[in-house]
Amino acid sequence: MPADVVRFTFDGRPVEARPGECLAAALLRAGHAAFRTTPDGRGKRGPVCGMGLCFDCRVAVTRPGTGHEMMLRACVTRAEDGMALRSVPFAENEPDA
Amino acid sequence: MRTGVAIIGGGLVGAATAHYLTRSGCDVALIDKGELNRGASGQNAGSLHFQLEHRLVEHGDALAELAAAIIPLSLDAIGRWTGIEADLGQGDLDIVMHGGLMVAEGAEQVARLERKARLEEKWRLPTQLIGSDEIRRLAPYLSRSIAGAALCRAEGHGNPRLITAALVRSASASRRLVLRTGVAVSRCARSAAGWRLELKTPEGSRETLEADAVVNAAGAWSADVAALAGLHLPVFPVALTMNATEAAPPFLGHMIQHIGRRLSMKQLREGNLLIGGGWSARLLRRGTRFQCDRRPDFRLDSITGNLAVAVDVVPRLRALHLLRSWTGIVGVTSDSLPILGEVPQAPGYFVATGGSGFTLGLTYGAVIAELITTRRTSLDITLFSPARFSPLNMFMGR
Amino acid sequence: MPELRYDLAIVGGGPGGMAAAATAADHGLRVAVLDEQEIPGGQIYRRPFAEGLFPADRFGRDYQEAGPALRAIAMREGVTWIGGASVFGLQQRGEAAFAVLWNTVDRVSKLLAERVLVAAGCFDMAVPFPGWTLPGVMGAGGMQALLKGQGVLPGGRIVLAGSHPLLLVIAAQLVAFDQPPLAVILTQSPTRAGIGMRAPVTALRNIGVFREGLIACHTLRRVGVPIHFGHVVTEARGGDRLESIGFRPVAGGALRDITCDTLGVGYGFTASTELIRQVGAPCRWSRAGGGWIAEHDEDMRTAVPGVFVAGEVAGIGGAPTARAEGALAALSIARDAGRRVDAGRVRRARGERARRRRFAALLERLADPGDDVLRTLRDSDTALCRCENVSVGDFRATLAANPTIRSADAAKLLTRTGMGPCQGRFCHRAVMEEIGALRAIPAESAGAFHARMPVRPVPLAAMAAFHPADDTD
C-alpha cells in the first residue's frame, strides 16, 4: 500500500515529503533554506540551479540499508523513508566499518 | 648570449637546479619550449614518498636491493623538503609532511612490508611497522581489512602548482637567471668554449646561446633533448592517470600507499582527495612516434581500477564524487633509476632526470649544482651516472 | 543495462532531443535517449513528479500538450528512454562509434552508439554579485524547476531580477500559485524588454517568451506587482540566508531595499557544451547567445564525425528552435545511416530552423543585459568561484602577481577557480571576463576550462564498481 507521506530526518529533525518529491522541495517547504555548510565551515548553501549542475544543494545523505553517507544533490534526489540527512558530513572522526 | 649553465627543462628539476646554481654564483639560462611546470611537474599529485614503492620491491630481492640505493637521495630529500619554505622565504608553499602509511592486506603483504623494512633499515630510512591496533588509533579511516602498515613520518605532499614557481622566483631574485619560455632548443653542440645552443621561437626567430655547461632536465622529453646533442638517453614517456574527488572536511592525515596494490592517496588542504598510484593512460601515437605534446587518452579501466582500490582501503570515500581525472606523461628510465651526472662522452653535458622526479627534484637540483660548481658531490651518485649508458654513447657524440 | 549498440544516442530528453528521437524513429533507427530526469521534458517542459500538484493549464497550453507528446515519443518502437541518467563522458571507439558513459547514484554504465546527438540544453547564466551565495538566491531556471517539477514555491517573499523576459513569465506563474513576487527588477527599459515596442511586432509575437511576457505584464499590473524597468539588483544581504536585496537604477542612483527571502536571478543562459568539447568538437564564443556554443554545419554536424548537436548547445534559442534542429539533425543522421530521407522534408526542416534562429537572434539582442552592467556588479569580496570560495579580490591579486597567466586553465591551476563540483560551469564566464579585463585581451581568448571526462561528478563508489566489459579500444 503506497504511503501518502515520506519521512526523513535533517540534522536529526523530522521532515515530511510527498511521495516522489525531491529532497530540496521537501526541505524548502519545511523552512530549511540551507542544506549544508561549506567545507571551510563558514558558509551556508542551498539550491541554486535546480537542475543538478551547480552542486550547491548537495547534502550528506545516509540512505536506509546502505550504512554510509553520500553527498547527494537534493534537487535531483527523491526523498525516501528513513533517509538521514546532515548539513555537515564527517562531522565526527568516527571509525569506519 | 653567453651564460654559465643552460638548463633545458622548466619543470621542478630544472627550476631547482637553477635555484641552487644561482645561489652558488652561477649565471643560468632556464629554457622551456612551453610554459614552466607544464609537464609531469605540474600534472603529478605532489606525493613526497620516501618508502620503497610497491613497484620497486615486487620483482624480487635483487632488484629491490638495487632500488634501495635511492634511499640516500631520499634522506637528502627529506631534509630539503623540510627546510625549503624557510630556505626560499616566500611564505607558505603548502608542504605537508605529517607522515605516510604504506598499508598491507593479508599476511603475505605484511611479510613484504617486513622485508621492505629490513632493507630500509639497512639504508637508514626511518620507518616503523605498526599493527592493526595502532592503525585503528592512528588512522581510523582505514578499512578493517588493513592488517599492517609501515609508517614513515616524513612522508606527505608538496604542491606542484607552487614549488616550481617559487624556485624560479628565488633564482630570478639573484639576478643571475635568464628565463626563456615558449622557446625550443633546435641545436645543441660542443664548441670551443663549451656548448652552443640554438633557440627557436614558434614564430621562427632564433637566438644563439653559449654556455659552459648544459643540464638536461627535460623529463619525458629527455631522450629527444639528448638526441640534439647526439646522445642516447634511455628515457621513455609513460602516460599515467590521476583522479581528484570533491572536497571533504579534513579526515585523511597521512599520505597513503599500498604494498600490494597500486594506490597513492592524500587529502589536500582544500579538502579534495587525490588518488593515483601508477595507473596507465594511453599515449597518442603518430606512426611509430609517441606524441608527448598531446594529452594522453584515458583508459577507463585505469580510473575504475584505481578507485576500486581506493574505496577498499578508505571506505568513507563512498560518500564522495569523482570530480576530475587527468592524464600526464612522466619520463621513465630503462632501469627505473634516475640519471644523474655528467655524460663522460660529452664533458659539460649533465643530466638530471628519471626516478621519482617530484619527491627527489630538489635533491637532483642540488646534486647537479654541486657537481657543476665543485666537480664533486657529497652524495654518492655513481650508481645513477649516465656513464652506465656508455655502451650506447661510446658510439655517439661528435 | 546491457551493452547494446544503438544507431544513435541522444544526450538530453528535452524538446530538441525528443524531436530528434521521433524523426530518427520515423526512419527506423534504433535510438537511446538519456536524460537526468525520470521523464522527458528537459527544463522548459519539466513535468511534475506527480499528477495533481497544480492545474494542468497552470503553465500554458504549449506546456500542457508537450507532456503527453514527449511521453509518446519515448514509448515509440525503436526509442529506448533512459531516465535518471547523468552522461559524464563520450569516448570514441575506432573510426565510427562512441561509448556513452553515464551513471545513476549507484551505478556506472556504458552504451555504444554509431552516432551521438548532444541536445544537453542550458542553465542559468551565473552572474557574481555581492551576497549571491546566500541560501535563497537562486537562478530563475532553478525557480522554474521547483515550480514545474515539484509544485513548490521556493519561499514566501520572492523577488525576481535580471534581464530576461522569462522573469515576467515566472512572476505571472507565481501569481497563479498565489504567491505574487514582491517586485520584478529588469535592467532593460520597457522598450528593450519588448513591452513597449511597436515594430517588428509580428516578429515578437513569434517568440513565445515575449508573447507570454506581454500577457504576464498585464497580469502583474492587475495584481499590483511592481515592475522596475531600468534597475539592477546590486546586493543580496543576510546572515545564514537571504534577508533583503538592494537595487538601484542601472545608470546609477539611490539604492532601495526590499526585505525578501528568495531572489530569482535571470540574466540569460549558458549552453551546456562540456560534453561536446570533451569529445573534441570545436565551440565558438557567443557572448549573449550562451557562451561557448557548438560549431556545426547546416546539417547540424560538428567537426567530429558522428557527433551532432541541436538546440541550446548550438546557441540559446528556446524550444521551437531546439525542435527544428533536433529534427534536422536526425534527418542528417538517417541519411548518414543509409536510410532513405525525403529531400522535401530536409528542405522544410532547414527552412524552419533558419526561421527559428532568426527569432532567436532577435530575442538574444533584446534580452542581452550588456556585460558592462553585469561586470560592475562584483566587488573584491564577491565570490568569483562559488564552489571553492575564491573571491574576486584574491583572483585579481593572484593574476597581478603572475603576469604570464592568460588562459582560464592557467588561472584555474593557480587560483583554484573551476576546481569545484560544478567544474567551472558557474564561474568560467566571470573568470574569462576578469582575465580579459586584467590583460586587456578579449575575454574569449582566455578560452574555456578544458573539458575532460567526467564532465559531471560521478559517485566514487559507482565508478569503483564499474567493470568496462571490454576495453579493447
Side-chain angles (χ1 to χ4, degrees):
Chain A
M1 192 180 74
D4 53 8
V5 68
V6 171
R7 293 193 173 84
F8 64 95
T9 63
F10 178 52
D11 284 341
R13 287 170 291 181
V15 181
E16 286 187 355
R18 299 164 289 179
E21 184 172 29
C22 73
L23 289 172
L27 288 168
L28 286 171
R29 283 194 307 116
H32 302 289
F35 304 163
R36 75 183 171 95
T37 308
T38 54
D40 66 8
R42 289 198 308 242
K44 297 267 191 275
R45 296 295 175 95
V48 179
C49 80
M51 48 186 289
L53 288 178
C54 73
F55 278 77
D56 252 348
C57 70
R58 67 193 190 279
V59 59
V61 180
T62 304
R63 289 176 297 159
T66 62
H68 65 92
E69 229 168 28
M70 278 186 78
M71 293 305 289
L72 296 179
R73 293 162 292 167
C75 73
V76 298
T77 305
R78 210 176 278 164
E80 278 165 41
D81 267 326
M83 277 181 165
L85 276 56
R86 291 202 291 177
S87 62
V88 183
F90 313 149
E92 300 88 46
N93 199 17
E94 74 265 351
D96 290 77
Chain B
M1 187 179 56
R2 175 121 213 130
T3 189
V5 183
I7 302 172
I8 306 173
L12 174 61
V13 175
T17 309
H19 161 68
Y20 290 113
L21 277 172
T22 52
R23 174 176 289 184
S24 301
C26 274
D27 290 322
V28 172
L30 181 61
I31 305 155
D32 198 297
K33 70 175 179 199
E35 290 180 336
L36 294 179
N37 214 32
R38 197 179 52 102
S41 296
Q43 294 162 338
N44 77 95
S47 294
L48 296 178
H49 56 87
F50 306 113
Q51 297 185 54
L52 293 172
E53 287 170 89
H54 153 261
R55 68 185 166 89
L56 297 174
V57 301
E58 66 179 355
H59 296 300
D61 285 342
L63 289 172
E65 288 274 351
L66 191 61
I70 202 79
I71 289 176
L73 296 188
S74 302
L75 295 172
D76 179 87
I78 291 173
R80 286 193 195 275
W81 279 104
T82 304
I84 194 68
E85 270 174 356
D87 187 4
L88 293 178
Q90 294 176 38
D92 175 24
L93 293 176
D94 190 17
I95 295 167
V96 174
M97 296 171 76
H98 295 155
L101 286 168
M102 187 172 293
V103 303
E105 292 172 286
E108 191 274 318
Q109 289 182 10
V110 172
R112 254 191 265 174
L113 276 186
E114 287 161 0
R115 283 200 303 279
K116 177 182 82 73
R118 282 197 290 276
L119 204 48
E120 287 164 341
E121 194 181 14
K122 205 165 78 171
W123 288 86
R124 306 225 187 82
L125 178 71
T127 59
Q128 180 194 342
L129 287 174
I130 61 178
S132 47
D133 287 342
E134 178 70 2
I135 289 169
R136 243 23 98 226
R137 194 191 62 79
L138 194 63
Y141 52 80
L142 287 175
S143 153
R144 291 286 141 116
S145 67
I146 302 302
L151 170 67
C152 176
R153 291 188 194 279
E155 288 183 325
H157 61 271
N159 190 325
R161 296 198 314 274
L162 299 181
I163 186 67
T164 300
L167 289 161
V168 172
R169 270 196 295 275
S170 160
S172 290
S174 74
R175 321 277 230 166
R176 296 200 169 89
L177 177 74
V178 166
L179 198 54
R180 287 282 183 272
T181 55
V183 168
V185 177
S186 54
R187 277 199 224 279
C188 179
R190 270 205 278 178
S191 65
W195 288 84
R196 177 174 297 139
L197 290 79
E198 189 177 82
L199 310 181
K200 207 165 84 155
T201 66
E203 297 79 42
S205 59
R206 289 163 202 275
E207 185 183 1
T208 304
L209 175 65
E210 306 271 353
D212 299 328
V214 173
V215 177
N216 180 341
W221 292 266
S222 300
D224 283 349
V225 165
L228 284 172
L231 297 170
H232 280 314
L233 279 186
V235 182
F236 304 93
V238 160
L240 299 176
T241 310
M242 187 60 60
N243 308 280
T245 72
E246 62 179 306
F251 75 94
L252 186 77
H254 304 94
M255 203 271 292
I256 303 293
Q257 297 177 89
H258 199 299
I259 189 67
R261 301 167 82 179
R262 288 175 288 155
L263 179 71
S264 95
M265 185 164 31
K266 63 187 69 67
Q267 185 170 25
L268 305 181
R269 72 178 163 195
E270 295 87 3
N272 310 80
L273 287 114
L274 293 190
I275 300 170
W279 290 81
S280 67
R282 194 172 293 114
L283 279 171
L284 295 182
R285 281 194 308 276
R286 182 169 288 142
T288 57
R289 296 278 308 168
F290 290 109
Q291 299 188 288
C292 295
D293 291 312
R294 294 181 61 198
R295 288 174 211 256
D297 256 351
F298 287 103
R299 292 187 51 146
L300 192 55
D301 60 350
S302 281
I303 298 174
T304 58
N306 198 173
L307 296 180
V309 179
V311 166
D312 267 357
V313 171
V314 180
R316 69 170 63 178
L317 287 181
R318 286 174 295 173
L320 302 172
H321 290 76
L322 171 70
L323 201 48
R324 64 184 155 268
S325 302
W326 68 96
T327 58
I329 305 175
V330 295
V332 176
T333 59
S334 52
D335 50 16
S336 292
L337 295 174
I339 307 178
L340 280 180
E342 190 173 22
V343 179
Q345 294 78 16
Y349 193 97
F350 297 82
V351 181
T353 197
S356 299
F358 188 83
T359 296
L360 302 177
L362 298 178
T363 300
Y364 293 178
V367 157
I368 293 297
E370 190 188 9
L371 182 60
I372 290 174
T373 52
T374 70
R375 304 300 317 162
R376 48 168 300 283
T377 61
S378 356
L379 283 171
D380 181 4
I381 55 171
T382 351
L383 196 55
F384 312 116
S385 169
R388 70 190 192 271
F389 303 117
S390 289
L392 303 173
N393 286 319
M394 55 195 244
F395 303 109
M396 305 299 289
R398 315 255 163 109
Chain C
M1 190 79 224
E3 212 182 272
L4 293 178
R5 198 184 197 91
Y6 293 88
D7 297 313
L8 171 64
I10 299 176
V11 180
M18 298 313 284
T23 304
D26 286 348
H27 292 80
L29 296 176
R30 282 199 10 263
V31 185
V33 184
L34 303 99
D35 193 281
E36 185 141 42
Q37 294 192 64
E38 299 294 342
I39 48 183
Q43 300 312 316
I44 189 165
Y45 297 128
R46 183 184 270 243
R47 311 305 302 173
F49 68 83
E51 295 298 315
L53 289 184
F54 45 78
D57 61 353
R58 172 63 54 87
F59 294 100
R61 197 164 58 154
D62 180 39
Y63 173 89
Q64 188 175 4
E65 288 170 353
L70 297 181
R71 261 200 304 281
I73 298 173
M75 299 200 313
R76 276 183 64 167
E77 178 85 29
V79 177
T80 302
W81 168 260
I82 305 174
S86 173
V87 177
F88 65 83
L90 291 176
Q91 264 192 325
Q92 268 184 287
R93 294 161 60 89
E95 289 267 304
F98 296 87
V100 179
L101 300 161
W102 56 277
N103 71 277
T104 60
V105 143
D106 292 312
R107 224 185 129 87
V108 165
S109 304
K110 176 170 84 169
L111 63 77
L112 304 178
E114 294 285 345
R115 294 173 181 84
V116 176
L117 168 65
V118 181
C122 61
F123 52 93
D124 288 313
M125 183 171 83
V127 174
F129 65 93
W132 72 305
T133 61
L134 281 168
V137 179
M138 58 178 66
M143 199 171 282
Q144 281 251 288
L146 286 168
L147 288 173
K148 287 179 176 169
Q150 306 291 315
V152 154
L153 291 162
R157 300 179 59 84
I158 304 167
V159 173
L160 297 169
S163 62
H164 203 279
L166 178 66
L167 292 174
L168 296 164
V169 176
I170 297 174
Q173 287 163 358
L174 289 174
V175 172
F177 273 91
D178 266 329
Q179 190 85 71
L182 301 178
V184 180
I185 300 168
L186 288 170
T187 55
Q188 270 82 338
S189 66
T191 314
R192 282 293 301 263
I195 307 305
M197 279 181 95
R198 279 183 217 291
V201 151
T202 6
L204 287 183
R205 285 222 191 88
N206 271 295
I207 303 173
V209 72
F210 270 117
R211 194 173 57 242
E212 292 168 39
L214 258 170
I215 298 168
C217 258
H218 293 312
T219 305
L220 295 173
R221 283 212 187 91
R222 191 167 38 83
V223 301
V225 173
I227 306 173
H228 302 281
F229 291 100
H231 280 67
V232 63
V233 168
T234 55
E235 58 190 49
R237 311 179 199 106
D240 280 348
R241 66 176 297 168
L242 178 67
E243 285 158 21
S244 70
I245 56 111
F247 73 108
R248 62 158 169 77
V250 168
L255 200 65
R256 282 188 276 172
D257 297 338
I258 303 178
T259 303
C260 55
D261 61 19
T262 311
L263 175 69
V265 181
Y267 285 108
F269 299 96
T270 298
S272 289
T273 51
E274 294 77 23
L275 202 58
I276 293 161
R277 286 182 278 116
Q278 178 259 307
V279 79
C283 286
R284 66 176 177 86
W285 179 250
S286 166
R287 188 188 56 81
W292 292 105
I293 59 175
E295 290 182 341
H296 59 88
D297 66 10
E298 61 167 1
D299 288 328
M300 307 311 300
R301 249 177 255 284
T302 69
V304 175
V307 176
F308 294 73
V309 290
E312 317 288 48
V313 296
I316 305 302
T321 309
R323 271 193 292 270
E325 291 187 338
L328 182 55
L331 289 172
S332 315
I333 291 163
R335 229 177 24 244
D336 283 3
R339 304 294 197 272
R340 231 175 29 157
V341 171
D342 175 43
R345 191 168 172 178
V346 173
R347 224 174 20 250
R348 282 190 300 280
R350 286 201 186 127
E352 172 70 2
R353 186 201 158 246
R355 207 165 73 91
R356 290 297 169 190
R357 277 292 171 195
R358 274 199 301 278
F359 296 136
L362 179 58
L363 171 60
E364 182 181 312
R365 280 208 305 284
L366 293 174
D368 178 6
D371 275 358
D372 299 328
V373 177
L374 302 185
R375 248 202 303 262
T376 54
L377 293 179
R378 46 193 182 254
D379 66 14
S380 94
D381 288 328
T382 307
L384 185 65
C385 168
R386 308 174 58 100
C387 293
E388 296 294 301
N389 256 322
V390 180
S391 71
V392 168
D394 284 347
F395 183 85
R396 288 176 182 166
T398 305
L399 247 64
N402 292 274
T404 58
I405 305 296
R406 298 167 75 84
S407 70
D409 271 338
K412 172 178 173 179
L413 276 178
L414 222 43
T415 63
R416 290 194 59 88
T417 53
M419 283 197 171
C422 93
Q423 298 173 314
R425 283 171 174 82
F426 289 83
C427 68
H428 85 265
R429 189 188 177 98
V431 164
M432 286 165 56
E433 286 171 356
E434 289 292 323
I435 293 172
L438 287 163
R439 301 284 185 245
I441 56 178
E444 66 259 34
S445 63
F449 290 132
H450 185 70
R452 285 187 281 241
M453 194 206 68
V455 298
R456 305 252 213 140
V458 181
L460 266 177
M463 202 62 167
F466 180 57
H467 300 291
D470 72 280
D471 230 60
T472 51
D473 50 337

